[in-house]
Amino acid sequence: MDICKDIKSCVLAIYEQAFEHKGTLENTIIPIHSHASYVDDRYLITEQERNHILETTFCSFEPLVLKNFSAKEKKKVVILTKIAEQFESGRSYTEKEVNQILRPIYEDYTTVRRYLIMYGFMERAKDGSSYWMTE
């Protein structure tokens, strides 16, 4: 028995059930992006949680500036989702272009870049020559 597969099935079942019962911001679960690498309870985030995380972790939304990159998994998902909005779908970026977008957002932009890939928001060529948003 593959326990990871069972946990993923359970999380997806809870997620689907939550969407069947639409409610307030307190209990409405935000959608999981389609290329999430590890679907588990870190993706069970309500609209209210999302809004609170955004308000407390970003200094500014225009331009986008991150105060700190949290070690907490739910916060990472929300932060990365917001940062991923800065990239165009269907476009290929060089590493330099990715860095130019991320550098003003957060000083440790290489960590953010790595997590965008780890969490399935972006992909990159094996040689690191190009990056793109997952569809």
Side-chain angles (χ1 to χ4, degrees):
M1 174 182 272
D2 184 1
I3 193 158
C4 290
K5 196 179 259 186
D6 291 339
I7 291 171
K8 185 174 181 179
S9 297
C10 290
V11 170
L12 287 174
I14 292 167
Y15 180 79
E16 288 172 3
Q17 186 177 23
F19 270 108
E20 288 176 10
H21 304 354
K22 301 215 184 289
T24 65
L25 285 179
E26 293 175 9
N27 61 11
T28 302
I29 305 295
I30 62 170
I32 298 173
H33 72 95
S34 62
H35 289 285
S37 302
Y38 308 102
V39 177
D40 57 17
D41 64 347
R42 77 184 85 182
Y43 286 97
L44 294 176
I45 305 166
T46 66
E47 283 286 342
Q48 185 177 35
E49 287 176 307
R50 176 189 172 276
N51 291 341
H52 177 72
I53 292 166
L54 289 174
E55 290 170 6
T56 57
T57 58
F58 285 93
C59 300
S60 166
F61 294 110
E62 195 60 45
L64 192 63
V65 179
L66 180 63
K67 290 180 197 175
N68 57 11
F69 192 74
S70 180
K72 295 187 178 186
E73 296 301 321
K74 281 188 176 189
K75 288 184 177 184
K76 280 182 192 170
V77 170
V78 173
I79 290 167
L80 292 169
T81 301
K82 186 66 178 170
I83 291 172
E85 293 173 2
Q86 307 306 300
F87 295 90
E88 295 176 36
S89 183
R91 179 176 167 199
S92 181
Y93 294 88
T94 64
E95 185 173 307
K96 183 177 179 179
E97 290 172 321
V98 171
N99 293 345
Q100 286 174 333
I101 292 169
L102 295 178
R103 188 176 286 119
I105 296 171
Y106 190 61
E107 63 186 27
D108 188 2
Y109 59 90
T110 58
T111 295
V112 174
R113 187 183 67 223
R114 182 175 64 246
Y115 277 110
L116 284 168
I117 294 165
M118 284 176 55
Y119 279 67
F121 290 95
M122 287 189 112
E123 291 185 30
R124 72 180 188 123
K126 287 187 182 204
D127 65 0
S129 63
S130 63
Y131 293 73
W132 59 92
M133 297 305 296
T134 54
E135 297 294 324

